[in-house]
Every structure is written in structure tokens, then in C-alpha cells.
Amino acid sequence: MEYIVSKNGRIMTHTPSLKAVQEEIDLMEKIRQEYLDDLERASICDGLFVCRPAGEWIEREKQRPDPVELWKTLWHEHEVSCLFADSNMGKSIYAVQIAEHVARRGMKVLYFDFELAAKQFQMRYSDPATGNAYRFSPNLLRVEFGDTKMPPTVAGMVERIEMAARETDSRILIIDNLTWICNNSEQGDAAGELMQALVTLKRSMGLSILCLAHTPKRAATSPLTQNSLAGSKRIANFMDSMFAIGRDMTCQPQGRYVKQIKVRSAECLYGDEHVIRYRLEREGEMLKFVENGYGREADLLLAGDDERSDRDRRIAEMARQGMTQRQIADEVGVSKSLVAKIMLKNGPGLSPEAA
């Protein structure tokens, strides 16, 4: 029996015909049978694997929306991503900036802050002159350790992260940083166990996870690669995407750049020829990365005095030999604009026009 509200507000009863009831039952049975048939056709090995024709996978996935960009093309929805850098490069500052950006778009973000104490976090996001604090989006939830002991195992720690995500109904997680989940994350076996647990959590709950990590000590002249990440091989293999922060030595002391290291869901837009340049600045109550154009990574890296002098001498000699700026840039491995600057610095006889 169905209840219907008429136009004059009276509640009336209506009994559907046996034919209508049977049609609805038949429809539900058809849906159930299609589901069972699909499950029987697709699942093997007690549900551990799912097997379908390649074309069927494509047709099924075409019905689902493409992953949403959470931060530029660096991190997408439903990805486990990694942001890594050396100490004191501003990883946490950049990660909080990303978290606030996502939260302002209406998505709930759970930020596991295992680095800063609550007071340190408050001071970082307060204006020293006025004492006013930055007003974060209510969708950004910060998490830190309570008074209880840390779980002794990686599995136990990941289980607590899952509980927090479920209790807050959050699907965007940022973990600052991996070492606090697994203090042996730089070692192969421990890193593999940790990443397997996070990938399983991502798939079971439909999460998007950004993990922060450190780089071991590296030469300032070296470009950022997957090998720059501590525990790189076992961690990088599980990551859907990776990006890193380096120091822009042409804009000291606050110069930074961000380079895209690994990408699966989009085109690599910010590789070594087109990194994003930043200045680390305070804007009112917010300490943040302020975009400063783009550049070529090789031009932004620190070169020692001897190495820089040798490079400049090589460029000057090639210019005297009549090579063009482009030829010199390709030979030395720097940009054409840097070649032009060095030629100008070395005197009128080496002006860009002469080359």
C-alpha cells in the first residue's frame, strides 16, 4: 500500500496493481542476477583478483569521472603521492598550503602533523606584528599525537589512521611525515611494508593520500630525482605521483622550486626543463610559497665557485669560436638565457649579438 498526498493536502491511500508489483520484483531480480553474473564472471581466487576482458575494463571505467586535480598536476584524487625535500626546505609549509587549497574547495582534509607541536603551529600561522591568526577552512582538520603510546607496528599505526579517517568522514589525507609511521622507512623491507599498507588503505576506502618524506644529504649541484628520496626504490615503486622541493640559488635565501618527479594521471608539466619557482614569504598571517614563474632546474642549482668559473670559461671559449647561444646551451647543459648573461658579464667582445 502506498500513501499519496493530494493537491488539497489530504493523504490518500493507493494500492498498486499486481502487475506493477510483479514488474518491480522482476526488475529487482534482474539487477540482482546481473550483479551475481558479473561477480561470477569477474572474480577468481576467492575474490583476491578481479579478471575481465581489457575492453570491458575500459567500458566500465568510462562511466566513472576522471580523477580530480587536487594540486596542479602534481597530485590527483585517489592517488598515493609523495612530496619530499631536504630539511628546512618548507615541506610542511607547502603541504599545509596544499591542504588549505583542497579544503577551500569543499573537501574535508585530515592533516596528520607529526612534526610541529600545537604551539609551534599556532605561531607559524599568526602575524607576529598583530598577533592575529590565519583563519583556516573548517574542512581542514589537524591531527597530532595524544597522550597514549604510539602503536608498535606499521600495521597498528595505519589502522589508527584508518580509524581517524572513518570517524571524521575524510577522504583526503596528508601525512607529515613517513618517518613517524615507520622510523625505518629508509630501509627497504620496512618501506615496502609501509607502502603496501597505505596502498591497501587507499583502495579499500577510496582515499587520496599525500606523504611527506626526507631526502638524504645530497650535493646542492645535483638535480632532484627518485633517487633523491630516502628509501627511494621501495617507496617510489608504490607511489602514483611524486614531486620535490629544491633550493633556487638565484633567489636566496627564500628561493625554492618544485619539480614533478613521477606522474601517472596526467602529463608531466613541471619536469627539469619547466620547474615551478617560488619565494617562501609571509603574507599577513599565512607563511606560504608564492609563485615566481618557471625555470630550468640546471639554472637554479648551486654551482661551486671553481665549477662555475670553469663553466663560464668554457662558454666564453665556445663563443669566441663562433658557436651560437643555442649550441653553447645544448653543449654545456644550461639555458640559452644563462649563456647570454655569462657572455654579457665577460665583456663586449662576447655580447649575445656576437653569437
Side-chain angles (χ1 to χ4, degrees):
M1 182 177 294
E2 296 179 356
Y3 293 92
I4 302 174
V5 180
S6 65
K7 291 182 178 180
N8 60 12
R10 295 178 60 190
I11 298 178
M12 305 171 58
T13 61
H14 168 70
T15 303
S17 65
L18 292 177
K19 181 180 179 182
V21 172
Q22 188 60 48
E23 288 177 350
E24 186 171 350
I25 292 174
D26 291 343
L27 177 61
M28 295 299 295
E29 177 61 25
K30 180 182 178 182
I31 294 173
R32 188 182 75 87
Q33 192 59 50
E34 287 179 350
Y35 171 77
L36 293 175
D37 291 345
D38 180 67
L39 194 63
E40 182 179 356
R41 182 171 64 251
S43 299
I44 58 175
C45 296
D46 196 27
L48 177 61
F49 301 115
V50 178
C51 179
R52 295 188 177 93
E56 185 177 330
W57 280 111
I58 292 175
E59 290 303 316
R60 290 172 62 89
E61 294 305 309
K62 281 169 62 176
Q63 309 306 315
R64 301 176 60 190
D66 293 338
V68 174
E69 285 185 7
L70 297 176
W71 182 251
K72 302 182 182 294
T73 61
L74 301 174
W75 181 30
H76 286 75
E77 192 178 23
H78 307 311
E79 284 188 343
V80 175
S81 184
C82 181
L83 165 61
F84 64 92
D86 201 352
S87 299
N88 299 316
M89 292 300 294
K91 291 187 298 294
S92 298
I93 295 170
Y94 196 54
V96 169
Q97 189 171 338
I98 293 171
E100 174 69 352
H101 169 81
V102 176
R104 291 284 177 184
R105 293 167 58 187
M107 292 176 269
K108 191 172 290 186
V109 181
L110 209 54
Y111 191 98
F112 291 87
D113 191 347
F114 302 147
E115 286 284 325
L116 294 182
K119 184 63 178 179
Q120 293 169 330
F121 184 81
Q122 174 260 313
M123 293 174 63
R124 174 171 287 182
Y125 295 103
S126 298
D127 187 337
T130 64
N132 295 331
Y134 178 80
R135 297 176 64 87
F136 282 99
S137 165
N139 288 321
L140 176 52
L141 308 178
R142 179 180 175 273
V143 183
E144 65 175 33
F145 287 121
D147 296 330
T148 57
K149 292 183 179 180
M150 289 176 55
T153 64
V154 169
M157 190 67 176
V158 173
E159 181 182 359
R160 300 302 197 284
I161 291 174
E162 177 181 356
M163 290 173 58
R166 291 189 185 279
E167 290 178 5
T168 59
D169 194 27
S170 301
R171 292 295 176 267
I172 313 292
L173 274 55
I174 298 180
I175 300 172
D176 185 5
N177 63 61
L178 285 180
T179 303
W180 284 100
I181 301 180
C182 173
N183 56 16
N184 294 320
S185 61
E186 296 183 15
Q187 300 177 13
D189 292 342
E193 179 188 359
L194 169 58
M195 292 313 305
Q196 284 181 332
L198 289 178
V199 170
T200 299
L201 182 60
K202 176 199 78 167
R203 290 174 175 171
S204 65
M205 293 186 61
L207 301 179
S208 308
I209 305 175
L210 176 62
C211 304
L212 275 61
H214 293 301
T215 63
K217 289 189 178 296
R218 49 181 284 273
T221 54
S222 301
L224 291 163
T225 68
Q226 287 190 15
N227 294 332
S228 304
L229 173 62
S232 57
K233 289 189 179 297
R234 296 302 296 270
I235 293 178
N237 289 342
F238 287 96
M239 292 293 176
D240 297 300
S241 59
M242 299 171 65
F243 53 108
I245 302 173
R247 189 180 299 278
D248 179 354
M249 300 306 299
T250 68
C251 185
Q252 295 192 63
Q254 304 301 334
R256 304 287 189 273
Y257 70 90
V258 170
K259 179 181 179 182
Q260 200 164 18
I261 305 294
K262 181 178 180 180
V263 58
R264 286 177 175 169
S265 300
E267 182 182 358
C268 183
L269 298 181
Y270 308 112
D272 51 10
E273 296 293 323
H274 190 68
V275 298
I276 312 171
R277 299 181 66 187
Y278 286 100
R279 293 188 312 276
L280 185 56
E281 295 182 357
R282 178 176 293 279
E283 291 187 349
E285 303 90 6
M286 185 71 166
L287 186 60
K288 62 189 298 187
F289 279 57
V290 178
E291 286 201 28
N292 188 30
Y294 304 93
R296 191 169 182 265
E297 183 183 27
D299 298 344
L300 309 182
L301 295 175
L302 171 65
D305 291 338
D306 292 340
E307 182 178 346
R308 185 183 296 111
S309 298
D310 181 61
R311 179 198 64 191
D312 292 359
R313 283 193 295 270
R314 287 180 60 203
I315 290 175
E317 182 59 31
M318 283 186 266
R320 291 189 185 96
Q321 294 172 4
M323 294 177 64
T324 66
Q325 290 180 42
R326 174 53 59 197
Q327 290 172 331
I328 296 172
D330 292 341
E331 179 69 23
V332 180
V334 297
S335 69
K336 184 179 174 181
S337 61
L338 182 59
V339 171
K341 290 178 183 177
I342 294 171
M343 291 168 68
L344 284 171
K345 183 180 71 174
N346 281 276
L350 293 177
S351 65
E353 291 77 14

